[in-house]
Amino acid sequence: MTIVALASGRGRAGVAVIRISGPAAGSLVEQMAGVVPAPRVAVRAALRDPRNGQVLDDGLVLWFPAPASYTGEDVAELHVHGGAAVLSAVLSALCARQDVRIAEPGEFTRRAFLNGKLDLVQAEAVADLVDAETEEQRRQAVGQLKGRLSAVYDSWRVRLRDALAHLEAVIDFPDEELPEDLISSIRQNLGELLGEQTAHLEDGRRGERLRDGLYVVIAGAPNVGKSSLLNALARRDAAIVSERAGTTRDVVEVRLDLGGLPVIVADTAGLREGRDEIESEGIRRALARAETADLRIVMVEASPAIKPDSRIRSLLDEDAMVVVNKIDLHEVAPGTRVEGRQVWPMSVTAGTGLDSFLDALEKRVERRMGRGESPVITRERHRSSIEETAACLRRFMAGSENGEMTNARLELVAEDLRLAARTLGRVTGKIGVEELLDVVFRDFCIGK
């Protein structure tokens, strides 16, 4: 079946791109444009409805014959004017044939995966690149799309495959002249692999935080300036500001770009004894969000003696940033600390101290997320599979550590390697046992 879809964004635009992929792509282009262009050469043509010959638009046609295309199939692109009427007419004409339909979400990339143009990790990077809002998100997605993360997982898969093939050879061909130290060599190689996977997992979830955004909560007592700070960070009126305490009843979130790093900042209800059912629920939500936040900004009001109550003190973990607001009303002595912690004096309304706090916040976010060049885990799906793979390797190492390796025992530890290989293969979508035979006969010349 041939699929078609709008590849550019919806809405009024000067130019829109319609993508076609499948066996009928060439004939569709010829019917509508009267010509199939040379590969990867844009040709201007009048696009006609094959049903009645009516001219629908004047645009560009590009042709990407299989397999040198995004999906690995014959692909064509129609660059047309981006008006709603034009798009509706062209898509209607394309789908008039019984062997053509509108593509499902992600179907072009799915076909690219099925045709070996991308693996699963790269396919996920396509979605991440489309969703990227900051420079660092873009860089991470581009690196993943280019195969940097896939290369790490593929190298692990090959090493697992080779180790399993060698172990299978010991089990299936005990009478062959195999190296005497083969088992110890397998253990050494897999021990090194386990160490690499363990280090890869101990990344502080940098890749996932960069992909999803670091979650920062502003918390504090009522009327200390939390909503004003949120608006200052967002540079717009995202939250209602009022002299009346308890104005914020729910969590208000904004997405920020701090030095290319994505951050979600949440304003929360003031922490005090709730005056009614709605305020009590807002306070409960505020505490829940603060509990799960990656970073807390705890605001207190400037005064001669700053003494936060127990609710505020409970939020002061080692990573919390303490902001002392309203220094335009009460001065804060240099070197002032709250509960032994550094503070950032500020007047949000006057803008005093805001720049230095933003610099400190950006550095704190960068430290939590990092800007490393090495590929990192970007999805929970990857992490769970690698954790399971590492667990299988630990069982193998424990089961093959001591004692005589009988055939029955070899079978048991080999099953751990089979599970490890299958689990790791799920990350990139490369799962199979056919390669094992190739390795066995390549390395050992079984049967001469």
Side-chain angles (χ1 to χ4, degrees):
M1 180 67 73
T2 297
I3 56 174
V4 301
L6 179 64
S8 53
R10 291 194 175 276
R12 187 182 179 203
V15 177
V17 179
I18 295 175
R19 180 177 287 167
I20 310 165
S21 180
S27 61
L28 275 171
V29 167
E30 188 170 15
Q31 287 176 359
M32 294 193 71
V35 62
V36 177
R40 289 166 293 281
V41 175
V43 172
R44 181 180 176 181
L47 301 178
R48 299 178 180 272
D49 191 329
R51 295 168 293 187
N52 53 29
Q54 179 185 4
V55 175
L56 304 176
D57 194 21
D58 185 80
L60 298 178
V61 181
L62 289 97
W63 173 241
F64 306 91
S69 70
Y70 178 71
T71 63
E73 304 173 327
D74 286 341
V75 171
E77 288 184 359
L78 306 179
H79 293 214
V80 299
H81 292 93
V86 172
L87 295 176
S88 178
V90 174
L91 289 171
S92 175
L94 288 170
C95 294
R97 289 175 42 160
Q98 291 186 346
D99 57 346
V100 181
R101 62 171 172 81
I102 294 292
E104 299 291 335
E107 191 169 2
F108 287 92
T109 303
R110 181 187 181 94
R111 292 192 179 194
F113 165 70
L114 293 174
N115 291 322
K117 307 296 289 188
L118 303 169
D119 62 28
L120 285 181
V121 174
Q122 290 173 302
E124 289 167 331
V126 173
D128 290 347
L129 192 56
V130 171
D131 292 336
E133 297 178 337
T134 71
E135 175 63 16
E136 291 301 317
Q137 286 178 319
R138 182 197 65 79
R139 290 181 59 187
Q140 176 170 278
V142 167
Q144 188 170 323
L145 182 59
K146 287 183 175 180
R148 293 182 61 213
L149 192 57
S150 298
V152 174
Y153 298 152
D154 279 337
S155 70
W156 291 351
R157 185 182 63 85
V158 169
R159 288 158 68 182
L160 263 176
R161 177 204 67 188
D162 290 353
L164 179 56
H166 294 171
L167 192 59
E168 297 279 13
V170 175
I171 296 171
D172 296 337
F173 306 103
D175 298 329
E176 294 291 332
E177 297 179 0
L178 302 176
E180 293 182 1
D181 63 345
L182 188 55
I183 299 297
S184 62
S185 177
I186 292 172
R187 280 181 48 80
Q188 179 180 345
N189 292 335
L190 293 183
E192 294 172 357
L193 175 56
L194 178 58
E196 292 176 24
Q197 291 183 350
T198 302
H200 190 63
L201 289 166
E202 294 173 349
D203 62 350
R205 295 183 178 267
R206 288 192 298 115
E208 291 140 296
R209 282 197 173 107
L210 180 55
R211 177 176 170 269
D212 299 330
L214 192 79
Y215 197 76
V216 179
V217 164
I218 306 174
N223 210 28
V224 296
K226 299 186 300 299
S227 298
S228 296
L229 178 58
L230 180 76
N231 291 344
L233 294 175
R235 298 182 181 179
R236 62 183 176 87
D237 291 335
I240 297 174
V241 176
S242 170
E243 293 294 330
R244 179 182 174 184
T247 302
T248 302
R249 297 295 186 96
D250 206 347
V251 179
V252 179
E253 297 179 347
V254 296
R255 299 187 70 90
L256 304 179
D257 180 341
L258 284 182
L261 297 168
V263 177
I264 304 165
V265 182
D267 177 26
T268 58
L271 301 179
R272 66 179 181 184
E273 288 295 332
R275 305 296 174 86
D276 54 46
E277 182 180 346
I278 296 176
E279 185 178 11
S280 296
E281 175 61 19
I283 293 170
R284 187 196 67 78
R285 294 186 183 188
L287 290 171
R289 293 297 179 92
E291 184 69 27
T292 59
D294 296 308
L295 179 64
R296 299 169 186 165
I297 300 173
V298 179
M299 290 195 75
V300 296
E301 188 171 328
S303 65
I306 303 172
K307 294 182 179 179
D309 65 18
S310 59
R311 294 187 187 87
I312 307 303
R313 290 198 302 270
S314 68
L315 301 178
L316 293 174
D317 61 13
E318 60 182 11
D319 291 325
M321 301 181 71
V322 181
V323 171
V324 178
N325 191 30
K326 302 185 181 181
I327 61 173
D328 53 325
L329 302 179
H330 296 278
E331 290 187 4
V332 174
T336 296
R337 302 180 76 85
V338 173
E339 298 294 316
R341 291 168 174 79
Q342 177 186 359
V343 303
W344 280 267
M346 182 186 304
S347 170
V348 179
T349 55
T352 308
L354 187 59
D355 288 342
S356 61
F357 171 73
L358 276 173
D359 290 340
L361 177 61
E362 184 175 329
K363 291 176 182 176
R364 191 72 62 93
V365 169
E366 183 173 348
R367 189 160 64 245
R368 295 293 299 271
M369 301 179 77
R371 297 181 190 267
E373 294 299 323
S374 58
V376 291
I377 299 169
T378 60
R379 292 176 183 259
E380 181 59 34
R381 183 182 73 84
H382 307 169
R383 184 173 298 277
S384 61
S385 291
I386 297 167
E387 286 174 342
E388 188 176 343
T389 301
C392 292
L393 288 181
R394 290 190 189 95
R395 290 199 300 270
F396 168 82
M397 297 298 288
S400 61
E401 186 172 8
N402 296 309
E404 183 183 353
M405 295 302 291
T406 63
N407 233 39
R409 190 172 178 184
L410 284 172
E411 281 284 3
L412 288 175
V413 295
E415 184 59 25
D416 288 323
L417 290 193
R418 295 186 192 104
L419 289 173
R422 284 198 293 270
T423 303
L424 185 59
R426 289 202 301 264
V427 180
T428 60
K430 296 179 180 177
I431 306 173
V433 297
E434 294 83 359
E435 293 175 296
L436 294 177
L437 293 176
D438 295 336
V439 176
V440 169
F441 287 98
R442 180 196 70 199
D443 289 356
F444 298 117
C445 299
I446 300 300
K448 300 297 185 291

